Amino acid sequence: MANVTVIGAQWGDEGKGKIVDWLASRADAVVRFQGGHNAGHTLVVGEQVYKLSLLPSGIVTGTLSIIGNGVVLDPWHLKSEVEKLRGQGVEINPENFAIADNCPLILPLHRDLDGLRETAAGSGKIGTTGRGIGPAYEDKVGRRAIRVCDLAHLDALDSQLDRLCAHHDALRAGFGQPPVDREALINELREIAPFVLQFAQPVWKRLNKVRKAGARILFEGAQGVLLDVDHGTYPFVTSSNTVSGTAASGSGLGPSATGFVLGIVKAYTTRVGSGPFPTELEDETGQRLGERGHEFGTVTGRKRRCGWFDAVLTRQSCAISGVTGIALTKLDVLDGFEKVKICTGYRLNGPNGSRVLDYFPSHAADQANVEPIYEEMDGWQGTTAGARSWADLPAQAIKYIQRVQELIETPVALVSTSPEREDTILVRDPFLD
């Protein structure tokens, strides 16, 4: 049996929640390996709707759920999310939930810094969620982070706090803010520590045991490849690596553990926040896509920008992340369009004339200036909503799916036709690869 790694192959918000939930019900362990509570999954199970932003999706089905060391953890948000899900009848205990003890913490000072920077940035705003994710990752690589394991040693934290405050106090002074209140911070950590420590352990060891027993592990990515700090639309990216390879380093298992890489791909394209978006539609069509697709962020509630499917970006994402097969989601949003378009290349106008590109360039100015080259196809008037087999789909919808997989050079493994778990057309089972 293969393990499965699920990643978003666009800018996030591709509908990973439903797919991860469907896979989690068949997995023995589900692992979050990067990001923080800036990510969001909405799970629809029968009449219940669960909104997760930090907890792995497997927790809803009672599957062993693990937050890996690649995640940055806001302990206060974790407590709030656990309490909310428990209120919905979800069982969460140390038997089915674990946190890596070497996981870095998001502290109140990180949220402060995130907000201060964005406010001061003016037209240079990146569009962060303001939740402290980026500053927490900065402290991790700056070797001054407070980690989950430190919560058991708060009386011996002085030297770490010296390093942390030396950095943050200087930054805060630049924004006209007072120094970090060390005593208040320690008191807040002392209060939350017992809740977090009940779940803390060396999860690499537990996962290694699970893997040796032949269990199926699902690695759950957050955001999307186009938000990867190396491979995304820099600087309008998140602060972690979102590609599939991060599952190895962010969980403590080796690269051979990642298994089948399933890229989640929306049948059109959306983006939240600032940054380049070649196929964006700022017209009635874009508005129609947003309304039909209910395009608002799970975590932030921010309206998503909408546009036609970009095969160039998705092909690039699939190549960079080693995607084995894609899950195509929200096909039903395109129902009823007379014509649909797919971006197959870009035209870049520069000082040396016009060039046609079959990839997305790295420089921000080039990214902002590319113009999409479209291929137009007939739409379909029948409905794809709720389809569970190819026979349920209009012929033109099937042609659209086939053209998508040709252009992105990656096969379709499954098609999702509604938020409901069972409304899925399975072409290839990732767990049986």
Side-chain angles (χ1 to χ4, degrees), residues 10-12 123-127 225-228 231-238 269-282 304-308 310 313-314 316-317 343 346 348 359-372 374:
Q10 293 159 309
W11 276 294
S123 61
K125 280 183 172 65
I126 292 173
V225 173
L226 297 175
L227 292 173
D228 185 279
H231 301 289
T233 48
Y234 193 91
F236 302 100
V237 293
T238 193
T269 310
T270 63
R271 173 162 206 172
V272 171
S274 307
F277 185 171
T279 65
E280 183 173 11
L281 298 170
E282 298 181 272
R304 298 175 188 142
R305 301 152 64 191
C306 298
W308 293 119
D310 192 327
L313 280 173
T314 308
Q316 191 163 320
S317 292
C343 174
Y346 304 124
L348 177 61
Y359 67 96
F360 199 54
S362 296
H363 195 274
D366 290 340
Q367 292 178 350
N369 290 328
V370 294
E371 296 176 3
Y374 285 117

Short mmCIF file of all heavy atoms in Angstrom, two decimals, residues 10-12 123-127 225-228 231-238 269-282 304-308 310 313-314 316-317 343 346 348 359-372 374:
data_model
loop_
_atom_site.label_atom_id
_atom_site.label_comp_id
_atom_site.label_asym_id
_atom_site.label_seq_id
_atom_site.Cartn_x
_atom_site.Cartn_y
_atom_site.Cartn_z
N GLN A 10 -2.16 24.96 -7.16
CA GLN A 10 -2.35 26.34 -7.61
C GLN A 10 -1.98 27.27 -6.44
O GLN A 10 -0.95 27.08 -5.82
CB GLN A 10 -3.79 26.51 -8.11
CG GLN A 10 -4.05 25.71 -9.40
CD GLN A 10 -5.52 25.43 -9.65
OE1 GLN A 10 -6.24 24.95 -8.78
NE2 GLN A 10 -5.98 25.72 -10.86
N TRP A 11 -2.82 28.26 -6.15
CA TRP A 11 -2.50 29.20 -5.06
C TRP A 11 -3.23 28.84 -3.77
O TRP A 11 -3.52 29.71 -2.95
CB TRP A 11 -2.87 30.64 -5.47
CG TRP A 11 -1.83 31.34 -6.27
CD1 TRP A 11 -0.58 31.69 -5.85
CD2 TRP A 11 -1.94 31.80 -7.62
NE1 TRP A 11 0.10 32.34 -6.85
CE2 TRP A 11 -0.71 32.42 -7.96
CE3 TRP A 11 -2.95 31.74 -8.59
CZ2 TRP A 11 -0.47 32.98 -9.20
CZ3 TRP A 11 -2.70 32.30 -9.83
CH2 TRP A 11 -1.49 32.91 -10.13
N GLY A 12 -3.52 27.58 -3.56
CA GLY A 12 -4.30 27.18 -2.41
C GLY A 12 -5.79 27.32 -2.70
O GLY A 12 -6.19 27.72 -3.79
N SER A 123 2.05 50.41 -0.30
CA SER A 123 1.82 49.72 -1.57
C SER A 123 2.63 48.44 -1.67
O SER A 123 2.41 47.63 -2.57
CB SER A 123 2.16 50.64 -2.74
OG SER A 123 3.54 51.00 -2.69
N GLY A 124 3.57 48.23 -0.75
CA GLY A 124 4.40 47.02 -0.77
C GLY A 124 3.82 45.87 0.03
O GLY A 124 4.50 44.89 0.31
N LYS A 125 2.55 45.98 0.43
CA LYS A 125 1.91 44.92 1.21
C LYS A 125 1.98 43.58 0.46
O LYS A 125 1.75 43.52 -0.75
CB LYS A 125 0.44 45.25 1.48
CG LYS A 125 0.22 46.23 2.61
CD LYS A 125 -1.28 46.43 2.85
CE LYS A 125 -1.54 47.25 4.10
NZ LYS A 125 -1.06 48.62 3.99
N ILE A 126 2.28 42.52 1.20
CA ILE A 126 2.32 41.18 0.62
C ILE A 126 0.94 40.52 0.71
O ILE A 126 0.60 39.66 -0.08
CB ILE A 126 3.39 40.32 1.34
CG1 ILE A 126 4.78 40.87 1.01
CG2 ILE A 126 3.31 38.86 0.95
CD1 ILE A 126 5.90 40.23 1.78
N GLY A 127 0.15 40.94 1.69
CA GLY A 127 -1.18 40.36 1.86
C GLY A 127 -1.18 39.16 2.80
O GLY A 127 -1.85 38.16 2.58
N VAL A 225 1.35 25.14 -4.24
CA VAL A 225 2.72 25.21 -4.74
C VAL A 225 3.09 26.62 -5.20
O VAL A 225 4.23 27.06 -5.05
CB VAL A 225 2.92 24.20 -5.90
CG1 VAL A 225 4.29 24.36 -6.55
CG2 VAL A 225 2.76 22.77 -5.38
N LEU A 226 2.12 27.36 -5.74
CA LEU A 226 2.41 28.71 -6.24
C LEU A 226 2.62 29.71 -5.11
O LEU A 226 2.96 30.87 -5.35
CB LEU A 226 1.29 29.19 -7.16
CG LEU A 226 1.12 28.35 -8.44
CD1 LEU A 226 -0.09 28.82 -9.23
CD2 LEU A 226 2.38 28.42 -9.30
N LEU A 227 2.43 29.25 -3.86
CA LEU A 227 2.74 30.07 -2.68
C LEU A 227 4.01 29.60 -1.98
O LEU A 227 4.36 30.09 -0.91
CB LEU A 227 1.55 30.05 -1.70
CG LEU A 227 0.29 30.75 -2.18
CD1 LEU A 227 -0.86 30.51 -1.19
CD2 LEU A 227 0.51 32.24 -2.36
N ASP A 228 4.71 28.63 -2.59
CA ASP A 228 5.96 28.14 -2.02
C ASP A 228 6.99 29.26 -1.95
O ASP A 228 7.12 30.06 -2.89
CB ASP A 228 6.49 26.99 -2.90
CG ASP A 228 7.71 26.32 -2.32
OD1 ASP A 228 8.82 26.87 -2.49
OD2 ASP A 228 7.57 25.25 -1.71
N HIS A 231 9.46 28.45 -4.90
CA HIS A 231 8.95 28.21 -6.24
C HIS A 231 7.69 28.99 -6.60
O HIS A 231 7.19 28.90 -7.72
CB HIS A 231 8.66 26.70 -6.42
CG HIS A 231 9.86 25.85 -6.21
ND1 HIS A 231 10.90 25.81 -7.10
CD2 HIS A 231 10.21 25.02 -5.19
CE1 HIS A 231 11.84 24.97 -6.66
NE2 HIS A 231 11.44 24.49 -5.50
N GLY A 232 7.18 29.77 -5.66
CA GLY A 232 5.95 30.51 -5.90
C GLY A 232 6.18 31.90 -6.47
O GLY A 232 7.29 32.24 -6.90
N THR A 233 5.13 32.71 -6.45
CA THR A 233 5.18 34.05 -7.03
C THR A 233 5.77 35.04 -6.02
O THR A 233 5.09 35.92 -5.51
CB THR A 233 3.77 34.50 -7.48
OG1 THR A 233 2.84 34.25 -6.41
CG2 THR A 233 3.32 33.74 -8.69
N TYR A 234 7.05 34.85 -5.75
CA TYR A 234 7.80 35.62 -4.76
C TYR A 234 7.79 37.10 -5.11
O TYR A 234 7.97 37.46 -6.28
CB TYR A 234 9.23 35.09 -4.75
CG TYR A 234 10.09 35.55 -3.59
CD1 TYR A 234 10.15 34.81 -2.42
CD2 TYR A 234 10.83 36.73 -3.67
CE1 TYR A 234 10.94 35.23 -1.35
CE2 TYR A 234 11.61 37.15 -2.61
CZ TYR A 234 11.66 36.40 -1.46
OH TYR A 234 12.44 36.81 -0.41
N PRO A 235 7.58 38.03 -4.17
CA PRO A 235 7.47 37.82 -2.72
C PRO A 235 6.05 37.56 -2.22
O PRO A 235 5.82 37.50 -1.02
CB PRO A 235 7.98 39.15 -2.16
CG PRO A 235 7.48 40.15 -3.17
CD PRO A 235 7.57 39.47 -4.52
N PHE A 236 5.09 37.41 -3.15
CA PHE A 236 3.70 37.20 -2.74
C PHE A 236 3.47 35.71 -2.49
O PHE A 236 2.73 35.04 -3.22
CB PHE A 236 2.76 37.76 -3.81
CG PHE A 236 2.97 39.22 -4.07
CD1 PHE A 236 3.70 39.64 -5.18
CD2 PHE A 236 2.47 40.18 -3.21
CE1 PHE A 236 3.91 41.00 -5.42
CE2 PHE A 236 2.68 41.54 -3.43
CZ PHE A 236 3.41 41.94 -4.55
N VAL A 237 4.13 35.21 -1.46
CA VAL A 237 4.12 33.78 -1.15
C VAL A 237 3.94 33.60 0.36
O VAL A 237 3.93 34.56 1.12
CB VAL A 237 5.44 33.10 -1.60
CG1 VAL A 237 5.55 33.09 -3.12
CG2 VAL A 237 6.66 33.81 -1.00
N THR A 238 3.83 32.36 0.77
CA THR A 238 3.81 32.06 2.21
C THR A 238 5.25 31.90 2.68
O THR A 238 6.19 32.05 1.90
CB THR A 238 2.95 30.81 2.48
OG1 THR A 238 2.70 30.72 3.89
CG2 THR A 238 3.61 29.53 1.99
N THR A 269 -9.18 29.02 -11.91
CA THR A 269 -8.08 29.48 -11.06
C THR A 269 -8.57 30.56 -10.10
O THR A 269 -9.38 31.41 -10.49
CB THR A 269 -6.93 30.06 -11.91
OG1 THR A 269 -6.60 29.13 -12.95
CG2 THR A 269 -5.69 30.30 -11.06
N THR A 270 -8.09 30.51 -8.85
CA THR A 270 -8.40 31.56 -7.88
C THR A 270 -7.15 31.95 -7.12
O THR A 270 -6.18 31.18 -7.06
CB THR A 270 -9.48 31.13 -6.87
OG1 THR A 270 -8.99 30.02 -6.10
CG2 THR A 270 -10.78 30.74 -7.55
N ARG A 271 -7.20 33.12 -6.55
CA ARG A 271 -6.10 33.58 -5.69
C ARG A 271 -6.66 34.54 -4.65
O ARG A 271 -7.52 35.36 -4.96
CB ARG A 271 -5.03 34.28 -6.54
CG ARG A 271 -3.95 34.94 -5.71
CD ARG A 271 -2.68 35.28 -6.44
NE ARG A 271 -1.60 35.30 -5.45
CZ ARG A 271 -0.33 35.42 -5.72
NH1 ARG A 271 0.08 35.50 -6.96
NH2 ARG A 271 0.57 35.41 -4.74
N VAL A 272 -6.13 34.44 -3.42
CA VAL A 272 -6.48 35.37 -2.35
C VAL A 272 -5.31 36.32 -2.13
O VAL A 272 -4.16 35.90 -2.13
CB VAL A 272 -6.81 34.62 -1.04
CG1 VAL A 272 -6.97 35.61 0.10
CG2 VAL A 272 -8.09 33.82 -1.19
N GLY A 273 -5.60 37.58 -1.93
CA GLY A 273 -4.55 38.53 -1.59
C GLY A 273 -3.82 39.07 -2.81
O GLY A 273 -4.23 38.91 -3.95
N SER A 274 -2.68 39.72 -2.54
CA SER A 274 -1.92 40.42 -3.57
C SER A 274 -1.09 39.45 -4.40
O SER A 274 -0.89 38.30 -4.03
CB SER A 274 -1.01 41.46 -2.93
OG SER A 274 -1.74 42.31 -2.07
N GLY A 275 -0.58 39.96 -5.52
CA GLY A 275 0.33 39.19 -6.34
C GLY A 275 -0.16 38.98 -7.75
O GLY A 275 -1.33 39.22 -8.07
N PRO A 276 0.73 38.53 -8.66
CA PRO A 276 0.38 38.36 -10.06
C PRO A 276 -0.66 37.24 -10.26
O PRO A 276 -0.70 36.28 -9.50
CB PRO A 276 1.70 37.98 -10.72
CG PRO A 276 2.54 37.42 -9.62
CD PRO A 276 2.14 38.17 -8.39
N PHE A 277 -1.47 37.40 -11.29
CA PHE A 277 -2.54 36.44 -11.60
C PHE A 277 -2.89 36.64 -13.08
O PHE A 277 -3.80 37.39 -13.42
CB PHE A 277 -3.75 36.72 -10.69
CG PHE A 277 -4.89 35.75 -10.80
CD1 PHE A 277 -5.95 35.81 -9.90
CD2 PHE A 277 -4.95 34.78 -11.79
CE1 PHE A 277 -7.02 34.92 -9.98
CE2 PHE A 277 -6.01 33.88 -11.88
CZ PHE A 277 -7.04 33.97 -10.97
N PRO A 278 -2.16 35.95 -13.98
CA PRO A 278 -2.30 36.21 -15.42
C PRO A 278 -3.71 36.05 -15.98
O PRO A 278 -4.11 36.81 -16.86
CB PRO A 278 -1.34 35.19 -16.05
CG PRO A 278 -0.34 34.91 -14.99
CD PRO A 278 -1.09 34.98 -13.70
N THR A 279 -4.47 35.07 -15.51
CA THR A 279 -5.78 34.81 -16.11
C THR A 279 -6.94 35.44 -15.33
O THR A 279 -8.10 35.10 -15.55
CB THR A 279 -6.04 33.29 -16.23
OG1 THR A 279 -6.11 32.71 -14.92
CG2 THR A 279 -4.94 32.61 -17.04
N GLU A 280 -6.63 36.36 -14.42
CA GLU A 280 -7.68 36.97 -13.61
C GLU A 280 -8.72 37.67 -14.49
O GLU A 280 -8.39 38.33 -15.47
CB GLU A 280 -7.08 37.99 -12.64
CG GLU A 280 -8.11 38.63 -11.72
CD GLU A 280 -7.50 39.51 -10.65
OE1 GLU A 280 -6.29 39.82 -10.74
OE2 GLU A 280 -8.23 39.89 -9.71
N LEU A 281 -9.99 37.49 -14.11
CA LEU A 281 -11.11 38.10 -14.83
C LEU A 281 -11.79 39.12 -13.93
O LEU A 281 -12.46 38.74 -12.97
CB LEU A 281 -12.12 37.02 -15.27
CG LEU A 281 -11.59 35.95 -16.24
CD1 LEU A 281 -12.61 34.84 -16.37
CD2 LEU A 281 -11.28 36.56 -17.59
N GLU A 282 -11.61 40.37 -14.24
CA GLU A 282 -12.25 41.42 -13.45
C GLU A 282 -13.51 41.91 -14.17
O GLU A 282 -13.68 43.09 -14.42
CB GLU A 282 -11.25 42.57 -13.22
CG GLU A 282 -10.03 42.12 -12.44
CD GLU A 282 -9.04 43.25 -12.19
OE1 GLU A 282 -8.17 43.47 -13.04
OE2 GLU A 282 -9.17 43.89 -11.13
N ARG A 304 -11.98 35.72 -2.96
CA ARG A 304 -10.92 35.25 -3.85
C ARG A 304 -11.06 35.86 -5.24
O ARG A 304 -12.16 36.02 -5.74
CB ARG A 304 -10.97 33.72 -3.97
CG ARG A 304 -10.72 33.01 -2.64
CD ARG A 304 -10.88 31.50 -2.77
NE ARG A 304 -10.82 30.86 -1.45
CZ ARG A 304 -11.57 29.83 -1.07
NH1 ARG A 304 -12.45 29.33 -1.91
NH2 ARG A 304 -11.44 29.33 0.13
N ARG A 305 -9.93 36.18 -5.84
CA ARG A 305 -9.89 36.62 -7.22
C ARG A 305 -10.06 35.40 -8.11
O ARG A 305 -9.54 34.32 -7.80
CB ARG A 305 -8.55 37.31 -7.49
CG ARG A 305 -8.30 38.51 -6.59
CD ARG A 305 -6.81 38.77 -6.36
NE ARG A 305 -6.10 39.12 -7.57
CZ ARG A 305 -4.77 39.18 -7.66
NH1 ARG A 305 -4.01 38.90 -6.58
NH2 ARG A 305 -4.19 39.51 -8.78
N CYS A 306 -10.78 35.52 -9.22
CA CYS A 306 -11.11 34.37 -10.05
C CYS A 306 -10.69 34.57 -11.50
O CYS A 306 -10.69 35.70 -12.01
CB CYS A 306 -12.62 34.10 -10.02
SG CYS A 306 -13.26 33.69 -8.39
N GLY A 307 -10.36 33.48 -12.19
CA GLY A 307 -9.99 33.54 -13.60
C GLY A 307 -10.05 32.18 -14.25
O GLY A 307 -10.32 31.16 -13.61
N TRP A 308 -9.77 32.13 -15.54
CA TRP A 308 -9.78 30.88 -16.29
C TRP A 308 -8.64 29.96 -15.84
O TRP A 308 -7.67 30.41 -15.24
CB TRP A 308 -9.65 31.14 -17.79
CG TRP A 308 -10.80 31.84 -18.44
CD1 TRP A 308 -10.77 33.05 -19.08
CD2 TRP A 308 -12.16 31.38 -18.52
NE1 TRP A 308 -12.02 33.37 -19.57
CE2 TRP A 308 -12.90 32.36 -19.22
CE3 TRP A 308 -12.83 30.25 -18.05
CZ2 TRP A 308 -14.26 32.24 -19.49
CZ3 TRP A 308 -14.19 30.12 -18.30
CH2 TRP A 308 -14.89 31.10 -19.02
N ASP A 310 -5.35 28.03 -15.75
CA ASP A 310 -4.01 28.35 -16.26
C ASP A 310 -3.19 27.06 -16.31
O ASP A 310 -2.68 26.58 -15.31
CB ASP A 310 -3.33 29.38 -15.35
CG ASP A 310 -2.07 29.96 -15.97
OD1 ASP A 310 -1.39 29.24 -16.71
OD2 ASP A 310 -1.78 31.15 -15.71
N LEU A 313 0.80 27.46 -15.42
CA LEU A 313 1.13 27.45 -13.99
C LEU A 313 0.96 26.07 -13.39
O LEU A 313 1.79 25.61 -12.60
CB LEU A 313 0.22 28.44 -13.25
CG LEU A 313 0.61 29.92 -13.32
CD1 LEU A 313 -0.47 30.77 -12.69
CD2 LEU A 313 1.93 30.16 -12.60
N THR A 314 -0.13 25.39 -13.75
CA THR A 314 -0.40 24.09 -13.15
C THR A 314 0.61 23.05 -13.61
O THR A 314 1.04 22.20 -12.82
CB THR A 314 -1.84 23.64 -13.47
OG1 THR A 314 -2.75 24.69 -13.12
CG2 THR A 314 -2.21 22.39 -12.68
N GLN A 316 3.67 23.64 -14.41
CA GLN A 316 4.89 23.97 -13.68
C GLN A 316 4.82 23.44 -12.24
O GLN A 316 5.78 22.86 -11.73
CB GLN A 316 5.07 25.49 -13.70
CG GLN A 316 6.41 25.99 -13.21
CD GLN A 316 6.65 27.44 -13.65
OE1 GLN A 316 6.32 27.82 -14.76
NE2 GLN A 316 7.23 28.24 -12.77
N SER A 317 3.69 23.65 -11.58
CA SER A 317 3.51 23.17 -10.21
C SER A 317 3.63 21.65 -10.13
O SER A 317 4.26 21.12 -9.21
CB SER A 317 2.13 23.58 -9.68
OG SER A 317 2.05 24.96 -9.50
N CYS A 343 -5.63 28.82 -20.46
CA CYS A 343 -4.38 29.50 -20.80
C CYS A 343 -3.32 28.44 -21.15
O CYS A 343 -3.04 27.56 -20.35
CB CYS A 343 -3.90 30.35 -19.63
SG CYS A 343 -2.28 31.10 -19.87
N TYR A 346 2.14 32.24 -22.47
CA TYR A 346 2.14 33.67 -22.15
C TYR A 346 2.88 34.44 -23.23
O TYR A 346 3.85 33.95 -23.83
CB TYR A 346 2.85 33.95 -20.82
CG TYR A 346 2.32 33.21 -19.63
CD1 TYR A 346 3.17 32.41 -18.86
CD2 TYR A 346 1.00 33.33 -19.24
CE1 TYR A 346 2.71 31.75 -17.74
CE2 TYR A 346 0.52 32.67 -18.11
CZ TYR A 346 1.39 31.87 -17.38
OH TYR A 346 0.92 31.20 -16.28
N LEU A 348 5.10 37.81 -23.41
CA LEU A 348 5.79 38.78 -22.56
C LEU A 348 6.38 39.88 -23.44
O LEU A 348 7.23 39.62 -24.30
CB LEU A 348 6.90 38.11 -21.75
CG LEU A 348 7.76 39.03 -20.87
CD1 LEU A 348 6.92 39.74 -19.83
CD2 LEU A 348 8.89 38.24 -20.20
N TYR A 359 6.37 28.83 -19.65
CA TYR A 359 6.59 28.71 -18.22
C TYR A 359 6.33 30.07 -17.58
O TYR A 359 6.24 31.08 -18.29
CB TYR A 359 8.03 28.25 -17.90
CG TYR A 359 9.08 29.28 -18.29
CD1 TYR A 359 9.58 30.18 -17.35
CD2 TYR A 359 9.56 29.35 -19.59
CE1 TYR A 359 10.52 31.14 -17.70
CE2 TYR A 359 10.50 30.30 -19.96
CZ TYR A 359 10.98 31.19 -19.01
OH TYR A 359 11.92 32.14 -19.36
N PHE A 360 6.20 30.08 -16.24
CA PHE A 360 5.97 31.33 -15.52
C PHE A 360 7.32 31.86 -15.05
O PHE A 360 8.02 31.18 -14.30
CB PHE A 360 5.03 31.08 -14.34
CG PHE A 360 4.37 32.33 -13.82
CD1 PHE A 360 3.65 33.16 -14.66
CD2 PHE A 360 4.44 32.67 -12.47
CE1 PHE A 360 3.02 34.31 -14.19
CE2 PHE A 360 3.81 33.80 -11.99
CZ PHE A 360 3.10 34.63 -12.85
N PRO A 361 7.70 33.07 -15.46
CA PRO A 361 9.04 33.59 -15.12
C PRO A 361 9.19 33.88 -13.63
O PRO A 361 8.21 34.05 -12.91
CB PRO A 361 9.14 34.87 -15.95
CG PRO A 361 7.72 35.30 -16.18
CD PRO A 361 6.92 34.04 -16.26
N SER A 362 10.44 33.99 -13.18
CA SER A 362 10.73 34.18 -11.75
C SER A 362 10.65 35.63 -11.30
O SER A 362 10.31 35.90 -10.15
CB SER A 362 12.12 33.62 -11.41
OG SER A 362 12.17 32.23 -11.62
N HIS A 363 10.99 36.57 -12.19
CA HIS A 363 11.06 37.97 -11.76
C HIS A 363 9.66 38.57 -11.65
O HIS A 363 8.80 38.38 -12.50
CB HIS A 363 11.90 38.79 -12.73
CG HIS A 363 12.31 40.12 -12.18
ND1 HIS A 363 11.51 41.24 -12.26
CD2 HIS A 363 13.42 40.49 -11.49
CE1 HIS A 363 12.11 42.25 -11.67
NE2 HIS A 363 13.27 41.83 -11.18
N ALA A 364 9.46 39.35 -10.56
CA ALA A 364 8.13 39.91 -10.28
C ALA A 364 7.62 40.81 -11.40
O ALA A 364 6.43 40.79 -11.73
CB ALA A 364 8.18 40.69 -8.96
N ALA A 365 8.51 41.59 -12.03
CA ALA A 365 8.07 42.48 -13.11
C ALA A 365 7.59 41.68 -14.31
O ALA A 365 6.58 42.02 -14.94
CB ALA A 365 9.22 43.40 -13.52
N ASP A 366 8.30 40.60 -14.65
CA ASP A 366 7.88 39.73 -15.76
C ASP A 366 6.56 39.04 -15.43
O ASP A 366 5.68 38.90 -16.28
CB ASP A 366 8.95 38.69 -16.07
CG ASP A 366 10.20 39.31 -16.69
OD1 ASP A 366 10.10 40.43 -17.22
OD2 ASP A 366 11.27 38.66 -16.63
N GLN A 367 6.44 38.60 -14.18
CA GLN A 367 5.20 37.93 -13.76
C GLN A 367 4.00 38.86 -13.90
O GLN A 367 2.92 38.43 -14.29
CB GLN A 367 5.33 37.46 -12.30
CG GLN A 367 6.32 36.33 -12.11
CD GLN A 367 6.44 35.92 -10.65
OE1 GLN A 367 5.93 36.59 -9.75
NE2 GLN A 367 7.12 34.82 -10.40
N ALA A 368 4.22 40.13 -13.59
CA ALA A 368 3.12 41.10 -13.64
C ALA A 368 2.76 41.47 -15.08
O ALA A 368 1.63 41.90 -15.35
CB ALA A 368 3.50 42.35 -12.86
N ASN A 369 3.70 41.28 -16.01
CA ASN A 369 3.50 41.75 -17.38
C ASN A 369 3.11 40.68 -18.39
O ASN A 369 2.81 41.00 -19.54
CB ASN A 369 4.76 42.47 -17.87
CG ASN A 369 4.97 43.80 -17.17
OD1 ASN A 369 4.02 44.47 -16.80
ND2 ASN A 369 6.23 44.18 -16.96
N VAL A 370 3.15 39.41 -18.00
CA VAL A 370 2.78 38.38 -18.98
C VAL A 370 1.29 38.47 -19.33
O VAL A 370 0.46 38.80 -18.48
CB VAL A 370 3.11 36.95 -18.48
CG1 VAL A 370 4.60 36.75 -18.34
CG2 VAL A 370 2.39 36.62 -17.18
N GLU A 371 0.98 38.20 -20.59
CA GLU A 371 -0.40 38.18 -21.06
C GLU A 371 -0.75 36.75 -21.45
O GLU A 371 0.00 36.10 -22.17
CB GLU A 371 -0.58 39.10 -22.27
CG GLU A 371 -0.32 40.56 -21.96
CD GLU A 371 -0.41 41.43 -23.20
OE1 GLU A 371 -0.73 40.88 -24.29
OE2 GLU A 371 -0.14 42.63 -23.10
N PRO A 372 -1.89 36.25 -20.98
CA PRO A 372 -2.25 34.86 -21.29
C PRO A 372 -2.60 34.65 -22.75
O PRO A 372 -3.20 35.51 -23.39
CB PRO A 372 -3.46 34.61 -20.39
CG PRO A 372 -4.04 35.96 -20.14
CD PRO A 372 -2.89 36.92 -20.14
N TYR A 374 -4.85 32.18 -24.90
CA TYR A 374 -5.97 31.29 -24.58
C TYR A 374 -6.30 30.34 -25.71
O TYR A 374 -6.17 30.66 -26.90
CB TYR A 374 -7.23 32.10 -24.26
CG TYR A 374 -7.22 32.76 -22.90
CD1 TYR A 374 -7.26 34.15 -22.78
CD2 TYR A 374 -7.18 32.00 -21.73
CE1 TYR A 374 -7.27 34.78 -21.54
CE2 TYR A 374 -7.18 32.60 -20.49
CZ TYR A 374 -7.23 33.99 -20.40
OH TYR A 374 -7.23 34.59 -19.17
#
